[in-house]
Amino acid sequence: MEYVIDHNNLEYLNLKKLLIVAQNSSNSIGDEEFKRDKELQKAIDFINKTKKIRKEDLRLYCTDYEEGFKGKHLSLMDIFSFNLHNIKGLKFEEIIDKMRRLNEEELLQNIYGILGDYEGKLFKSKEDILKELRNMAINGEFKWNLMMALENPLEFMKGLCEFLEKCRVILNKYLYKFKVIGQQWNDELENLIGEKGIEWFKDTYDIIPFNNFNHCTNIYISLVSVNDFDITWGIGRDNNGYIYLGNKSREMVEAFRGKNNFDNLMRCIKNISDPSRFKILKLISNRAKYGQELAHDLNLTTPTVSYHITALKMNKLINEKYEGKKMYYSLNKDTLKEMIKILEKELQL
């Protein structure tokens, strides 16, 4: 099994991320430690002000619906474009060409797979999805737009490809800057893995359950450089593992990790001093819960809860476990007990 850094799809992933962030900027996470950089904010301001990008198209393709399948935020662009396993090793033009060359059955099969992964169900036809949609208590705009897109999926895909190509030209100046940042991030990661070995990578990103990849053929690491703190992973239908790392992910990891036990304690205390994170720990102290439950209980958006969950995982304050297609979170009491021991020692309790 090899670990492969896949930088060919960087421009495509950056463009998707930039458009979705711009359309859903009101849902962004506010945190004193993790602010948007100036280049990203300039790009967002340009997208929101320019008349060259139709706001109707931006809303249609890029709105990130928080009340999507299983409470996970999802856009129509996510549903109609490819998962990481479909674009490994491909550049922007090759990805768009591959999307365009799909016939209707191939396109629908891809959509069935994506929606099936989110919903935990097997969809075999358009009728299966439409029937499911009619009975689902989800965002009305999302439901209507998806139903309309499924009526003529090839036409919708054609419009999406044209939209992405047009935005690529309009945003070329910004994408070039993010490409440079991405190449620096790529070179840095390759050098570190080369010098310190893959075990360094696993230790640094130990919130990723690498044991889940034991039976995978290869592990593909895709990088994004749009001021991104994401650390996500999964196993594709091709039996390869896929890891998605934002260029700010190491910064986030380092912000929550200490150099020794005392330093770790201080960072854990700072982490759980956030009211929302402390409430999450209280909610999962007696019973494991999944993201949508926590979002409902806390009256927060699903992306916000996801951000806080990632922060808590950095200090190993929570455990996670799949049950069916849902990820459940529970309190890691061992970490908290260790914190108490260190407090007792330091304060001579």
Side-chain angles (χ1 to χ4, degrees), residues 2-17:
E2 293 184 14
Y3 282 76
V4 181
I5 298 179
D6 185 2
H7 54 81
N8 283 331
N9 55 25
L10 176 65
E11 185 180 17
Y12 173 77
L13 293 175
N14 275 345
L15 178 59
K16 278 185 61 179
K17 179 76 176 183

mmCIF file of all heavy atoms in Angstrom, residues 2-17:
data_model
loop_
_atom_site.group_PDB
_atom_site.id
_atom_site.type_symbol
_atom_site.label_atom_id
_atom_site.label_comp_id
_atom_site.label_asym_id
_atom_site.label_seq_id
_atom_site.Cartn_x
_atom_site.Cartn_y
_atom_site.Cartn_z
ATOM 1 N N GLU A 2 0.607 2.165 -0.915
ATOM 2 C CA GLU A 2 1.381 3.397 -1.021
ATOM 3 C C GLU A 2 0.534 4.609 -0.631
ATOM 4 O O GLU A 2 -0.687 4.612 -0.799
ATOM 5 C CB GLU A 2 1.878 3.588 -2.456
ATOM 6 C CG GLU A 2 2.896 2.556 -2.909
ATOM 7 C CD GLU A 2 3.422 2.858 -4.296
ATOM 8 O OE1 GLU A 2 3.199 3.999 -4.764
ATOM 9 O OE2 GLU A 2 4.042 1.979 -4.901
ATOM 10 N N TYR A 3 1.224 5.624 -0.123
ATOM 11 C CA TYR A 3 0.600 6.921 0.137
ATOM 12 C C TYR A 3 0.966 7.849 -1.018
ATOM 13 O O TYR A 3 2.146 8.071 -1.281
ATOM 14 C CB TYR A 3 1.082 7.502 1.464
ATOM 15 C CG TYR A 3 0.416 6.884 2.669
ATOM 16 C CD1 TYR A 3 0.785 5.616 3.115
ATOM 17 C CD2 TYR A 3 -0.591 7.549 3.349
ATOM 18 C CE1 TYR A 3 0.171 5.031 4.212
ATOM 19 C CE2 TYR A 3 -1.203 6.977 4.456
ATOM 20 C CZ TYR A 3 -0.814 5.719 4.877
ATOM 21 O OH TYR A 3 -1.426 5.148 5.966
ATOM 22 N N VAL A 4 -0.038 8.379 -1.703
ATOM 23 C CA VAL A 4 0.191 9.195 -2.900
ATOM 24 C C VAL A 4 -0.403 10.576 -2.690
ATOM 25 O O VAL A 4 -1.607 10.714 -2.418
ATOM 26 C CB VAL A 4 -0.446 8.547 -4.150
ATOM 27 C CG1 VAL A 4 -0.162 9.394 -5.382
ATOM 28 C CG2 VAL A 4 0.050 7.115 -4.338
ATOM 29 N N ILE A 5 0.429 11.615 -2.791
ATOM 30 C CA ILE A 5 -0.082 12.995 -2.718
ATOM 31 C C ILE A 5 -0.555 13.382 -4.111
ATOM 32 O O ILE A 5 0.234 13.458 -5.053
ATOM 33 C CB ILE A 5 0.994 13.962 -2.209
ATOM 34 C CG1 ILE A 5 1.408 13.571 -0.787
ATOM 35 C CG2 ILE A 5 0.460 15.398 -2.221
ATOM 36 C CD1 ILE A 5 2.487 14.454 -0.202
ATOM 37 N N ASP A 6 -1.849 13.609 -4.244
ATOM 38 C CA ASP A 6 -2.466 13.898 -5.545
ATOM 39 C C ASP A 6 -2.709 15.399 -5.674
ATOM 40 O O ASP A 6 -3.696 15.924 -5.157
ATOM 41 C CB ASP A 6 -3.777 13.121 -5.667
ATOM 42 C CG ASP A 6 -4.422 13.260 -7.039
ATOM 43 O OD1 ASP A 6 -3.815 13.928 -7.899
ATOM 44 O OD2 ASP A 6 -5.514 12.717 -7.238
ATOM 45 N N HIS A 7 -1.779 16.090 -6.336
ATOM 46 C CA HIS A 7 -1.913 17.547 -6.469
ATOM 47 C C HIS A 7 -2.523 17.959 -7.804
ATOM 48 O O HIS A 7 -2.783 19.142 -8.027
ATOM 49 C CB HIS A 7 -0.540 18.221 -6.302
ATOM 50 C CG HIS A 7 0.512 17.689 -7.221
ATOM 51 N ND1 HIS A 7 0.623 18.082 -8.523
ATOM 52 C CD2 HIS A 7 1.495 16.782 -7.009
ATOM 53 C CE1 HIS A 7 1.623 17.440 -9.096
ATOM 54 N NE2 HIS A 7 2.174 16.641 -8.198
ATOM 55 N N ASN A 8 -2.777 16.993 -8.691
ATOM 56 C CA ASN A 8 -3.336 17.343 -10.003
ATOM 57 C C ASN A 8 -4.730 17.964 -9.900
ATOM 58 O O ASN A 8 -5.093 18.830 -10.686
ATOM 59 C CB ASN A 8 -3.389 16.111 -10.913
ATOM 60 C CG ASN A 8 -2.023 15.750 -11.476
ATOM 61 O OD1 ASN A 8 -1.170 16.619 -11.660
ATOM 62 N ND2 ASN A 8 -1.792 14.474 -11.716
ATOM 63 N N ASN A 9 -5.517 17.484 -8.926
ATOM 64 C CA ASN A 9 -6.894 17.978 -8.817
ATOM 65 C C ASN A 9 -7.011 19.236 -7.962
ATOM 66 O O ASN A 9 -8.120 19.657 -7.615
ATOM 67 C CB ASN A 9 -7.807 16.887 -8.253
ATOM 68 C CG ASN A 9 -7.322 16.330 -6.917
ATOM 69 O OD1 ASN A 9 -6.616 17.002 -6.172
ATOM 70 N ND2 ASN A 9 -7.709 15.092 -6.616
ATOM 71 N N LEU A 10 -5.875 19.856 -7.627
ATOM 72 C CA LEU A 10 -5.875 21.019 -6.729
ATOM 73 C C LEU A 10 -6.729 22.166 -7.257
ATOM 74 O O LEU A 10 -7.538 22.743 -6.524
ATOM 75 C CB LEU A 10 -4.433 21.499 -6.512
ATOM 76 C CG LEU A 10 -4.254 22.761 -5.667
ATOM 77 C CD1 LEU A 10 -4.708 22.519 -4.239
ATOM 78 C CD2 LEU A 10 -2.789 23.216 -5.675
ATOM 79 N N GLU A 11 -6.578 22.520 -8.545
ATOM 80 C CA GLU A 11 -7.315 23.664 -9.082
ATOM 81 C C GLU A 11 -8.818 23.416 -9.042
ATOM 82 O O GLU A 11 -9.602 24.306 -8.674
ATOM 83 C CB GLU A 11 -6.872 23.952 -10.519
ATOM 84 C CG GLU A 11 -7.520 25.205 -11.101
ATOM 85 C CD GLU A 11 -7.076 25.489 -12.524
ATOM 86 O OE1 GLU A 11 -6.536 24.567 -13.181
ATOM 87 O OE2 GLU A 11 -7.277 26.622 -12.979
ATOM 88 N N TYR A 12 -9.226 22.209 -9.401
ATOM 89 C CA TYR A 12 -10.653 21.859 -9.379
ATOM 90 C C TYR A 12 -11.215 21.947 -7.961
ATOM 91 O O TYR A 12 -12.268 22.550 -7.726
ATOM 92 C CB TYR A 12 -10.819 20.449 -9.943
ATOM 93 C CG TYR A 12 -12.207 19.879 -9.827
ATOM 94 C CD1 TYR A 12 -13.224 20.268 -10.691
ATOM 95 C CD2 TYR A 12 -12.506 18.923 -8.855
ATOM 96 C CE1 TYR A 12 -14.496 19.730 -10.588
ATOM 97 C CE2 TYR A 12 -13.776 18.381 -8.750
ATOM 98 C CZ TYR A 12 -14.766 18.780 -9.614
ATOM 99 O OH TYR A 12 -16.029 18.246 -9.501
ATOM 100 N N LEU A 13 -10.500 21.350 -6.992
ATOM 101 C CA LEU A 13 -10.971 21.374 -5.606
ATOM 102 C C LEU A 13 -10.962 22.789 -5.036
ATOM 103 O O LEU A 13 -11.867 23.178 -4.292
ATOM 104 C CB LEU A 13 -10.102 20.455 -4.743
ATOM 105 C CG LEU A 13 -10.198 18.955 -5.048
ATOM 106 C CD1 LEU A 13 -9.203 18.175 -4.203
ATOM 107 C CD2 LEU A 13 -11.608 18.438 -4.816
ATOM 108 N N ASN A 14 -9.942 23.585 -5.389
ATOM 109 C CA ASN A 14 -9.888 24.975 -4.924
ATOM 110 C C ASN A 14 -11.064 25.787 -5.443
ATOM 111 O O ASN A 14 -11.663 26.581 -4.714
ATOM 112 C CB ASN A 14 -8.583 25.629 -5.369
ATOM 113 C CG ASN A 14 -7.435 25.363 -4.409
ATOM 114 O OD1 ASN A 14 -7.636 24.924 -3.286
ATOM 115 N ND2 ASN A 14 -6.223 25.620 -4.861
ATOM 116 N N LEU A 15 -11.393 25.614 -6.728
ATOM 117 C CA LEU A 15 -12.499 26.368 -7.315
ATOM 118 C C LEU A 15 -13.818 26.000 -6.646
ATOM 119 O O LEU A 15 -14.618 26.879 -6.290
ATOM 120 C CB LEU A 15 -12.582 26.109 -8.817
ATOM 121 C CG LEU A 15 -13.746 26.810 -9.551
ATOM 122 C CD1 LEU A 15 -13.673 28.320 -9.376
ATOM 123 C CD2 LEU A 15 -13.741 26.442 -11.033
ATOM 124 N N LYS A 16 -14.064 24.710 -6.472
ATOM 125 C CA LYS A 16 -15.291 24.271 -5.798
ATOM 126 C C LYS A 16 -15.375 24.855 -4.389
ATOM 127 O O LYS A 16 -16.410 25.379 -3.987
ATOM 128 C CB LYS A 16 -15.336 22.740 -5.716
ATOM 129 C CG LYS A 16 -15.817 22.040 -6.968
ATOM 130 C CD LYS A 16 -15.955 20.538 -6.749
ATOM 131 C CE LYS A 16 -16.962 20.220 -5.669
ATOM 132 N NZ LYS A 16 -17.109 18.757 -5.460
ATOM 133 N N LYS A 17 -14.269 24.744 -3.651
ATOM 134 C CA LYS A 17 -14.242 25.237 -2.272
ATOM 135 C C LYS A 17 -14.476 26.740 -2.228
ATOM 136 O O LYS A 17 -15.257 27.244 -1.410
ATOM 137 C CB LYS A 17 -12.892 24.900 -1.643
ATOM 138 C CG LYS A 17 -12.723 25.372 -0.204
ATOM 139 C CD LYS A 17 -13.481 24.494 0.750
ATOM 140 C CE LYS A 17 -13.229 24.892 2.193
ATOM 141 N NZ LYS A 17 -13.904 24.014 3.148
#
